[in-house]
Amino acid sequence: MGQTLAEQILSRGAGRAVRAGEQVVVDVDLAMMHDSISPSIIKVLHHEIGAERVWDATRIAVVIDHVAPAATVQTAGHQANLRAWVRQQGIRYFFDVGQGISHPVLVEHGLARPGMVIVGSDSHSTGYGAVAAFGTGMGTTDMALTLATGRTWLRVPETVRVLAQGQLAAGVSAKDLGLAVARRIGADGATYRAVEWHGLGALSIAERMTLATLSIEVGAKAGLVPAAGPGWQAHADARRLQAPGWLAVDPAATYVQTVTVDLTRLGPQISVPHQVDHVVDLHELGRVAVDVVYLGTCTNGHHEHLAAAAQVLRGRRIAPGVRLLVVPASAEALRRATADGTLGALLDAGATIGTPGCGACIGRHMGVLAPGEVCLFTGNRNFRGRMGSPDARIYLGSPEVAAATALAGYIAHPAEVLA
Amino acid sequence: MARIWRFGPNINTDQIVPGRYAPYMLPDEAALRNYPFIEARPEFAATVQPGDLIVAGANFGCGSSREYAPLALQLVGIGAIIAPSFARIFYRNALNLGIPLFEADLPAEVADGTAATLDIATGQLHTAGGLIALPPPPAFVREVWEAGGIVAYVRRHGRFPGQAAP
């Protein structure tokens, strides 16, 4: 019997061959916790579970990304406590303010690798699937139990296969594919399931992370892109990584559903307020004027995404009255953007640059929206109130559309402003 | 008698507790009890009574992994949540906290503001329209409820649900 990638990885984690539908306990290879939830995790670990030490300090990563740098005395105090806890427990991987968002950081540093079971205190932990890890998000109590035991329990998910065919047109990118899939299967189309993204070997790791992070937006437990193709090879070669021999797409695997997408016919997709799966073709949208264009997040704030936007913006100025906020996903993204002229092009066009991290994606600081404001956002959620006022409106789109929108002042196709 | 609080489909965690009201952001963490549905249903936190029931549409709790969303509902004493389906992480977080969730698609007659009585042990929901038998949850779910949450369950049994006894 064949196995999906999720079944292969969870079989290794469980120490026996497992199949979709089974309830299993697996060893965790890496546990990620961020500043926003760490105070409660630490409290449950020590005071409710009663563990004095974490199970393995070399398998834990702590990242300060959700309010980075601290916006209030309150958050500054939590972060100071977290630094002290990291020292006291001897946590090996600590990424302080400015290093970026947990998911891209752990991937860029080669800590997230193919075949690993990775749990994180963040729903977008599906993002580790960009490097064919089984990454999944969990809450405070599950995280604390993992820190105490090195294990977690779960139901092995069935898998939905997305089969991409053909090549993306100019100005169209992974974000458009991810939103198109949300449009097809809905916000709960993969609940209790995993998603495997096939036919995308050429995609960079950044673009793979767009799809892997968007997997939770269709309800998925994990979203995996096979560790194959030139996009994976470039990432692996730069870090001397190798995918384990036991992990490969199995032609005999059973998928609960296959969603085929013809990339050659795919145009820019826009998710309209206030649900991620409310998706339309950009040309169906009509004229939507914006106040803010926000380029960033674990979904679309990588160097490749900043560069794609810069390519549209280079030599031009954003429309009067529009704020273009750029928050790189990581220090690495910012460093590369500085080195290759991307940052200069963004600044010359009129962009404002924020500290690498989650920024305004969770509506806490660095660009929250006022009542009545409209934002074109490259992130992953357009829920009411997500980025600030519940009376603001958030539209999701690609970095290419974000750049075109900043120039036009309304939601625009890149071809429209480049014509 | 409990009051029914009726919600539509795809209620996300930002609607249950916006990220700006996370315990991380609050000078007094206990204040979390003031914020469930602070923007989506501003009268909720002040008027909800212990034992009240949430009846919602499909995919309840989608979005973030924030456990403070179900925790806020527990702090105000929500007796159970009934919906045709739940987002995966929300279901798990609520289970871990010991909040009863039932998967059922209730008719519109079980309307917002109506009275009902739910027997958690039997899943029998008594409303003005009659008796509705809610589908029973899997045995391990009931065991976690009975223990009072996953930490208490693990302490009592020395293992995770579904794991062979040590």
Side-chain angles (χ1 to χ4, degrees):
Chain A
M1 289 288 278
Q3 284 190 315
T4 63
L5 294 179
E7 287 171 327
Q8 292 170 41
I9 296 170
L10 296 178
S11 291
R12 180 178 160 276
R16 65 185 174 87
V18 302
R19 307 209 60 82
E22 282 185 58
Q23 203 166 303
V24 300
V25 175
V26 294
D27 291 337
V28 170
D29 296 300
L30 184 64
M32 183 287 294
M33 51 200 274
H34 57 65
D35 55 311
S36 184
I37 302 295
S38 286
S40 61
I41 295 171
I42 292 167
K43 194 159 73 179
V44 173
L45 175 70
H46 296 315
H47 300 300
E48 289 184 30
I49 299 173
E52 286 181 22
R53 310 290 303 179
V54 298
W55 104 96
D56 185 348
T58 69
R59 291 182 179 274
I60 296 170
V62 175
V63 187
I64 296 184
D65 59 5
H66 269 55
V67 183
T72 60
V73 174
Q74 164 89 3
T75 50
H78 279 307
Q79 292 177 15
N81 292 341
L82 182 55
R83 292 183 189 100
W85 184 81
V86 162
R87 282 193 300 274
Q88 182 246 333
Q89 293 285 324
I91 302 297
R92 175 173 290 180
Y93 305 111
F94 176 56
F95 299 95
D96 209 327
V97 167
Q99 289 303 299
I101 308 168
S102 54
H103 318 309
V105 166
L106 298 197
V107 168
E108 286 165 355
H109 286 258
L111 300 177
R113 297 187 294 275
M116 293 174 83
V117 174
I118 305 178
V119 301
S121 68
D122 187 278
S123 62
H124 292 105
S125 299
T126 54
Y128 304 117
V131 290
F134 186 93
T136 198
M138 46 177 52
T140 296
T141 305
D142 273 328
M143 281 302 303
L145 282 166
T146 291
L147 292 190
T149 65
R151 297 193 176 93
T152 193
W153 60 289
L154 44 78
R155 181 182 162 283
V156 181
E158 288 85 15
T159 294
V160 174
R161 174 175 53 174
V162 175
L163 195 54
Q165 297 176 327
Q167 304 296 316
L168 289 163
V172 183
S173 57
K175 182 60 159 292
D176 301 304
L177 171 59
L179 294 182
V181 168
R183 180 182 190 167
R184 286 267 285 280
I185 70 174
D188 58 356
T191 298
Y192 287 93
R193 295 171 172 176
V195 178
E196 276 183 32
W197 299 87
H198 289 202
L200 298 160
L203 284 192
S204 66
I205 292 297
E207 287 280 86
R208 294 174 189 221
M209 192 169 284
T210 303
L211 298 171
T213 52
L214 283 173
S215 299
I216 181 65
E217 306 311 330
V218 289
K221 186 179 287 194
L224 300 105
V225 187
W232 157 253
Q233 210 52 55
H235 175 82
D237 290 348
R239 292 163 184 79
R240 300 178 181 214
L241 302 179
Q242 209 170 1
W246 52 265
L247 182 70
V249 170
D250 183 344
T254 302
Y255 298 98
V256 69
Q257 183 185 1
T258 294
V259 178
T260 305
V261 181
D262 181 356
L263 298 182
T264 60
R265 297 168 57 123
L266 182 67
Q269 304 289 295
I270 301 293
S271 173
V272 305
H274 299 283
Q275 270 182 234
V276 180
D277 61 347
H278 286 176
V279 176
V280 300
D281 288 340
L282 192 155
H283 66 76
E284 298 174 275
L285 191 60
R287 195 176 168 110
V288 177
V290 304
D291 302 287
V292 175
V293 173
Y294 187 106
L295 174 61
T297 79
C298 55
T299 293
N300 270 140
H302 304 251
H303 171 259
E304 286 82 348
H305 302 133
L306 307 186
Q311 199 177 334
V312 177
L313 290 164
R314 189 165 277 116
R316 298 178 171 83
R317 289 286 298 180
I318 61 174
V322 171
R323 283 129 41 213
L324 171 57
L325 307 182
V326 178
V327 182
S330 67
E332 171 73 2
L334 179 56
R335 188 191 63 72
R336 289 175 62 195
T338 309
D340 74 354
T342 291
L343 187 66
L346 294 171
L347 289 170
D348 288 346
T352 297
I353 311 296
T355 306
C358 302
C361 181
I362 30 187
R364 291 173 180 172
H365 71 160
M366 290 214 295
V368 298
L369 302 177
E373 286 191 327
V374 176
C375 177
L376 187 286
F377 182 37
T378 65
N380 39 53
R381 287 190 179 134
N382 57 351
F383 300 156
R384 188 189 293 275
R386 174 77 180 175
M387 299 178 73
S389 169
D391 299 318
R393 295 172 65 79
I394 305 166
Y395 292 77
L396 304 181
S398 70
E400 292 83 351
V401 167
T405 300
L407 293 174
Y410 55 88
I411 297 176
H413 190 297
E416 197 176 328
V417 294
L418 297 180
Chain B
M1 292 287 268
R3 181 201 198 278
I4 299 286
W5 293 84
R6 190 97 200 200
F7 289 87
N10 293 307
I11 296 297
N12 62 61
T13 52
D14 280 84
Q15 288 169 285
I16 302 172
V17 181
R20 287 169 289 120
Y21 296 90
Y24 184 48
M25 310 299 287
L26 302 176
D28 172 15
E29 289 183 22
L32 179 62
R33 68 180 322 288
N34 301 322
Y35 302 121
F37 298 112
I38 178 75
E39 289 164 353
R41 201 96 190 246
E43 80 283 10
F44 178 86
T47 47
V48 68
Q49 295 296 316
D52 280 0
L53 305 171
I54 290 175
V55 176
N59 201 28
F60 187 86
C62 60
S64 160
S65 60
R66 59 187 69 155
E67 193 167 299
Y68 57 83
L71 178 61
L73 298 176
Q74 187 174 51
L75 289 176
V76 298
I78 281 294
I81 308 172
I82 305 161
S85 63
F86 292 88
R88 187 189 64 80
I89 308 176
F90 183 90
Y91 188 95
R92 178 66 170 252
N93 286 340
L95 175 66
N96 286 346
L97 292 171
I99 303 170
L101 303 188
F102 289 91
E103 289 185 307
D105 192 359
L106 296 189
E109 289 72 53
V110 186
D112 190 67
T114 58
T117 307
L118 174 64
D119 183 335
I120 302 289
T122 62
Q124 293 199 325
L125 181 71
H126 294 270
T127 69
L131 172 68
I132 297 172
L134 301 175
F140 76 89
V141 167
R142 193 169 287 289
E143 287 166 17
V144 175
W145 293 352
E146 285 163 5
I150 192 69
V151 172
Y153 177 97
V154 170
R155 187 170 287 138
R156 177 184 295 181
H157 296 277
R159 58 177 175 81
F160 290 117
Q163 189 178 19

